[in-house]
Amino acid sequence: MGNILIVTELKDGAIREASYELVSFAQKIGGDIKSLVIGSGVAGEAESFAKKGGGTVYVADDASLANYNVDGYAAAIRAGIDASGADVVLISNTPSGWDVAPRIAAALDVAFVSDAFDFQDGAYIRRIFNGKLDARVKVEGDKAIVSVQPGALAAFDGSSEGSTEALTVDTSGARAKFIEVKVAESKGVDLTKASVIVSGGRGVGDPEKFTEVIQPLADALGGAMGASRPVVDAGWLPHQYQVGSSGQVVTPKLYIACGISGAIQHLVGMKGSNFIIAINKDPDAPIFEVAQLGVVADLFEIVPALTAAVAAAKG
Amino acid sequence: MKILVCLKQVPHQDARLDIDGAGTWIKEDGIKFEINSYDTFALEEALRIKDAGEAEVVVVSIGPDRVTQALRTALGMGADRAVHVKDTEIDGSDALVISKLLAAVGKEESPDLVLMGLMSDDGNTAAVAPMLAELMGIPSATAVMSVEASGDGYKVERELEGGALEVVELPKPCLIAVQSGLNQVRYASLKGIMAAKKKPIDVKGAGDLGLAGNVGAGAAKTHIEKIFAPVKGEGAEIVEGSTDEVVTQLVAKIKELGLL
């Protein structure tokens, strides 16, 4: 397949797990692996990555690259592509990855594959329709920019021969300006400590039903109420109730998902739960893939009856 | 001040998704369509900027005749005029080809701000916004949760993982791709719907945009070879029976977990 360039990403000064997953992805595609580390004061991390599957690691080390900036990072990635002669560029589909990767494809007029979670028989596999279907995507020609779903493959944890090479990047043309990162505000509802979470999704239908149907079951079980993103987006519940990659990541002893179809962003936030019960009318809902027990039925029949039975069992 | 809002019409979120005969997309006959949810937030944000001052809001969408409905809805909500890019040659285009068509519209319109959703609910590529910005030669930000005028541009907050926000300043002209939930989307009023009937929808083909022969499957650099139901793992054990029977089994499990 020729040359593959892995664009790594740093978080809190260290190369993140997702970048090591890209090594596994690159090995699956097959080819000569090279890597790119972007940041400020990142020589140590680059040295380390070179010995852990990164191969020749190009280092774009510049004070202006200390924080993510779409223009500066695009310049660094293009310099990395030029230096490595890469055909395929792999980048994690994270908030910075999805922000910059398509720009590179458009600038170079090459194929772009978004959020691939696997590579099989010469094609990339990715989710479509919010997780309801998968697609096999073929690329015309040799060149492609591919963003990869974090967590899709196990991170490479072997060692390898590798070395680093400094890369000069001109970031003077940057127009977008990084100001600051605001950390999440302290949450009014800390779902991460709840032993039982009863969550509702779009299937709950309206905000009153959360109070009338979902909250009582959570109360009966001595747990907390959660919600999926569409519920929060619609303003039915405040953001602090949101379980998912952009909300809280939870691992209760029991998670009961009511009327939640199971978009990836929600699954990421709750699939680590000890036990999952899903109640949904649609038997094909992806939530049943991560649940241990499933009920294909109207939540408005099951949940109130379950609440009453739980209350009765407690005496 | 001119705002260009890019809208996609997608299958309704509750539509039944059956795979078509070629196995490369879903059957679109007989299903309901709606404006892509992310794009409704982008349109709302544009209308709020318009409501707060002087701005013309132009909506653009690419697709067959059915897209007229989405554009009429947008006009009913308060957009001023619409561009409908419609051409059977466009079928089979990938995100990059779509971005080239939108960039051609962008060149004609020369907006101060382009607003659109982070991604579509069908293809989920999240590719068009950054590609369009690159092709228009303007800065961009994606997954934006708030937009505030600042100096000669905008200060925006991008959603990061775990609820953190990245604050970025963009000079005009720029493109902002919004995350869902940054505002509460209005409904079209009856008055708005009536007024929309008089608002113009300008229909353009690939040739009108200088891209004749450069769109469609032949121009695409990626192709969907096949779509299929996700490979199932073990999956859930499905509890069956009457409501009482189901509840009895669920309670037994909850007891087994030591939670009752």
Side-chain angles (χ1 to χ4, degrees):
Chain A
M1 282 300 276
N3 285 330
I4 301 175
L5 181 71
I6 291 170
V7 179
T8 63
E9 185 176 332
L10 278 91
K11 195 169 190 183
D12 304 325
I15 289 178
R16 51 187 293 180
E17 179 93 349
S19 300
Y20 293 93
E21 294 163 16
L22 294 181
V23 176
S24 303
F25 204 97
Q27 289 169 342
K28 201 153 186 183
I29 296 171
D32 185 16
I33 298 173
K34 298 177 180 179
S35 302
L36 172 65
V37 175
I38 307 168
S40 177
V42 293
E45 280 296 303
E47 287 287 345
S48 154
F49 197 71
K51 302 283 188 285
K52 290 179 184 169
T56 302
V57 177
Y58 297 92
V59 193
D61 200 327
D62 193 284
S64 66
L65 298 170
N67 292 293
Y68 173 75
N69 167 297
V70 64
D71 298 318
Y73 274 56
I77 294 168
R78 290 181 63 176
I81 294 171
D82 286 345
S84 63
D87 300 304
V88 175
V89 178
L90 300 181
I91 184 162
S92 301
N93 195 41
T94 58
S96 56
W98 73 55
D99 199 62
V100 70
R103 287 197 79 120
I104 307 286
L108 302 178
D109 201 33
V110 300
F112 176 66
V113 180
S114 170
D115 203 26
F117 65 84
D118 204 357
F119 182 82
Q120 294 173 0
D121 308 322
Y124 296 92
I125 317 294
R126 58 183 304 270
R127 290 271 140 89
I128 54 174
F129 285 98
N130 298 326
K132 291 175 194 155
L133 291 169
D134 283 354
R136 266 180 69 84
V137 178
K138 283 283 256 195
V139 167
E140 298 297 320
D142 301 327
K143 294 192 184 299
I145 312 292
V146 181
S147 70
V148 177
Q149 189 184 105
L153 294 183
F156 178 74
D157 69 350
S159 57
S160 66
E161 293 291 313
S163 59
T164 62
E165 203 170 300
L167 200 60
T168 309
V169 181
D170 178 7
T171 58
S172 59
R175 298 154 297 183
K177 191 174 159 202
F178 170 87
I179 306 295
E180 62 172 326
V181 169
K182 290 191 201 170
V183 294
E185 291 163 24
S186 65
K187 306 226 165 47
V189 181
D190 188 358
L191 296 174
T192 61
K193 294 191 173 64
S195 61
V196 178
I197 296 172
V198 181
S199 276
R202 220 158 47 88
V204 176
D206 65 62
E208 288 73 35
K209 294 287 190 296
F210 274 88
T211 318
E212 293 165 12
V213 178
I214 306 299
Q215 183 76 59
L217 179 57
D219 290 345
L221 289 165
M225 180 168 74
S228 65
R229 176 154 204 146
V231 169
V232 172
D233 285 351
W236 296 353
L237 285 177
H239 180 258
Q240 61 258 34
Y241 287 93
Q242 189 184 323
V243 173
S245 54
S246 53
Q248 301 189 54
V249 176
V250 300
T251 54
K253 288 183 186 147
L254 174 63
Y255 189 91
I256 305 181
C258 310
I260 292 176
S261 69
I264 297 158
Q265 100 96 29
H266 185 74
L267 300 185
V268 168
M270 48 65 80
K271 68 182 178 191
S273 303
N274 171 56
F275 197 87
I276 299 167
I277 297 174
I279 303 166
N280 201 299
K281 276 195 286 197
D282 176 7
D284 296 324
I287 191 77
F288 290 121
E289 286 306 300
V290 300
Q292 281 81 40
L293 269 190
V295 181
V296 181
D298 183 353
L299 74 95
F300 295 109
E301 289 191 9
I302 303 296
V303 177
L306 181 57
T307 305
V310 167
K314 289 206 304 198
Chain B
M1 172 78 184
K2 187 196 277 189
I3 305 172
L4 182 66
V5 181
C6 305
L7 301 176
K8 185 176 187 182
Q9 194 193 40
V10 297
H12 192 280
Q13 286 192 56
D14 296 325
R16 201 187 141 91
L17 303 178
D18 289 323
I19 296 169
D20 67 12
T24 55
W25 199 240
I26 59 151
K27 286 182 192 165
E28 296 198 342
D29 291 345
I31 64 169
K32 276 208 307 191
F33 282 81
E34 63 183 357
I35 297 177
N36 176 43
S37 63
Y38 292 87
D39 297 339
T40 62
F41 295 101
L43 175 59
E44 176 63 37
E45 202 61 24
L47 296 175
R48 287 181 186 206
I49 294 170
K50 178 186 171 181
D51 292 347
E54 290 282 306
E56 182 191 23
V57 175
V58 182
V59 289
V60 57
S61 189
I62 301 176
D65 290 336
R66 59 173 161 78
V67 168
T68 307
Q69 180 61 44
L71 292 171
R72 285 280 168 222
T73 301
L75 294 170
M77 286 168 68
D80 296 294
R81 60 187 175 84
V83 178
H84 182 178
V85 180
K86 184 172 75 167
D87 197 325
T88 52
E89 301 289 316
I90 294 170
D91 292 355
S93 295
D94 62 3
L96 185 50
V97 175
I98 294 298
S99 301
K100 288 174 184 174
L101 285 161
L102 290 173
V105 173
K107 197 174 169 196
E108 286 186 354
E109 295 289 344
S110 184
D112 301 284
L113 173 63
V114 181
L115 276 166
M116 58 197 294
L118 168 65
M119 67 168 86
S120 63
D121 286 313
D122 54 358
N124 293 165
T125 66
V128 172
M131 285 179 169
L132 173 57
E134 180 68 31
L135 296 172
M136 288 179 72
I138 59 176
S140 59
T142 57
V144 167
M145 288 300 285
S146 78
V147 179
E148 184 191 319
S150 168
D152 64 343
Y154 294 95
K155 186 192 265 189
V156 303
E157 291 182 326
R158 298 187 61 230
E159 187 181 75
L160 305 180
E161 291 137 310
L165 294 168
E166 179 179 272
V167 184
V168 181
E169 274 181 0
L170 302 172
K172 281 193 276 198
C174 61
L175 181 148
I176 296 172
V178 305
Q179 177 58 282
S180 61
L182 85 160
N183 51 37
Q184 291 293 309
V185 182
R186 73 191 65 188
Y187 291 98
S189 65
L190 188 61
K191 193 174 149 217
I193 293 166
M194 296 307 287
K197 291 183 178 163
K198 297 198 192 78
K199 292 177 178 174
I201 297 181
D202 190 8
V203 179
K204 289 179 188 292
D208 299 322
L209 296 168
L211 286 163
N214 290 310
V215 295
K221 297 179 199 298
T222 61
H223 292 104
I224 293 182
E225 197 179 62
K226 184 180 140 190
I227 66 168
F228 51 98
V231 177
K232 304 233 173 196
E234 295 243 320
E237 176 197 336
I238 300 297
V239 182
E240 289 175 4
S242 67
T243 299
D244 282 350
E245 287 161 359
V246 166
V247 165
T248 304
Q249 290 185 65
L250 294 183
V251 169
K253 175 52 77 177
I254 295 168
K255 278 185 179 157
E256 191 187 310
L257 292 168
L259 295 165
L260 262 182

